[in-house]
Amino acid sequence: QSVLTQPPSVSAAPGQKVTISCSGSSSNIGNNYVSWYQQLPGTAPKLLIYDNNKRPSGIPDRFSGSKSGTSATLGITGLQTGDEADYYCGTWDSSLSANWVFGGGTKLTVL
Amino acid sequence: QVQLVQSGAEVKKPGASVKVSCKASGYTFTSYGISWVRQAPGQGLEWMGWISAYNGNTNYAQKLQGRVTMTTDTSTSTAYMELRSLRSDDTAVYYCARLEQGYGYWFDYWGQGTLVTVSS
């Protein structure tokens, strides 16, 4: 059971838009910044979004991030078959154990 | 360019220890922390802990306290993760990742992963 809750799977057609939610609490998302990672099959995770809504150089503006209260959202527009991957949110958790936490991951299928 | 290159796959028996290395290049090693993240087969990402390459300070995930040790060798820009008393559920791909900081924290570069298999 992950501290951050993501839907197990989402799907959409090529060219469409999809959003992936990440729900937490005041000890993590509510008071810390969120990052998002894309993991293509058989590869290491790759940074997509940091500080809630910033994109590293090289990440297309089809990818966007937002945060409101204790939830964060990753948006992907103009879906491509190459976007099929697992997506993870992550943030610092400021509770007593003071750990980094990831969401359980969301499998994106581009139909 | 920034690169994190990890050591090769390992097969260990239950109760043994494993030490995985992560050699960094393309940046000033002591200016960033290194985190270790593992992923069991078919499962999600699990944060294991963090080490400052500047001063060696560490912060381990509570569930691994007492079994994990993270170290760095600044002379070779290499980070190490040792896990002891291995169990079958430690079978996973282990990743090192560079920890960057802005308003928050994030992992901007990742190693290629090291598969550790624990089996009798």
Side-chain angles (χ1 to χ4, degrees):
Chain A
Q1 194 82 349
S2 301
V3 172
L4 305 181
T5 301
Q6 297 180 233
S9 63
V10 296
S11 61
Q16 296 300 303
K17 173 183 177 178
V18 71
T19 60
I20 297 172
S21 61
C22 175
S23 177
S25 68
S26 59
S27 69
N28 42 67
I29 293 178
N31 283 286
N32 291 287
Y33 290 81
V34 177
S35 51
W36 289 89
Y37 304 87
Q38 176 194 59
Q39 187 176 33
L40 297 169
T43 69
K46 174 185 174 182
L47 176 68
L48 280 183
I49 298 289
Y50 66 95
D51 278 353
N52 296 339
N53 55 18
K54 296 182 174 63
R55 283 176 288 106
S57 60
I59 300 300
D61 59 7
R62 299 189 299 108
F63 295 89
S64 64
S66 64
K67 188 187 105 167
S68 178
T70 59
S71 292
T73 302
L74 174 70
I76 311 173
T77 60
L79 277 172
Q80 303 172 0
T81 55
D83 295 333
E84 277 210 350
D86 294 321
Y87 292 84
Y88 294 89
C89 58
T91 187
W92 191 253
D93 190 299
S94 309
S95 62
L96 284 176
S97 55
N99 285 348
W100 180 273
V101 290
F102 287 104
T106 299
K107 169 67 178 174
L108 168 63
T109 301
V110 181
L111 302 167
Chain B
Q1 73 284 21
V2 174
Q3 279 194 301
L4 299 174
V5 178
Q6 299 182 223
S7 49
E10 304 260 15
V11 179
K12 296 292 183 180
K13 293 193 182 303
S17 299
V18 69
K19 191 170 186 177
V20 180
S21 67
C22 171
K23 184 170 177 58
S25 61
Y27 72 97
T28 301
F29 182 66
T30 51
S31 295
Y32 295 83
I34 293 285
S35 264
W36 290 87
V37 176
R38 69 179 180 178
Q39 186 171 37
Q43 302 301 308
L45 303 175
E46 179 187 12
W47 182 79
M48 300 178 66
W50 163 89
I51 182 167
S52 164
Y54 174 72
N55 58 18
N57 285 350
T58 55
N59 180 17
Y60 301 138
Q62 197 166 27
K63 71 174 285 188
L64 295 173
Q65 290 272 3
R67 286 208 301 139
V68 67
T69 301
M70 297 175 188
T71 57
T72 59
D73 181 343
T74 56
S75 68
T76 59
S77 298
T78 303
Y80 298 92
M81 185 284 301
E82 181 180 32
L83 190 60
R84 300 176 293 279
S85 302
L86 288 168
R87 309 186 290 247
S88 59
D89 62 356
D90 291 318
T91 294
V93 176
Y94 289 74
Y95 295 102
C96 61
R98 191 179 81 164
L99 182 65
E100 174 64 293
Q101 180 181 0
Y103 289 113
Y105 295 89
W106 62 92
F107 307 118
D108 59 350
Y109 290 93
W110 296 66
Q112 83 276 19
T114 296
L115 175 62
V116 175
T117 303
V118 183
S119 173
S120 54

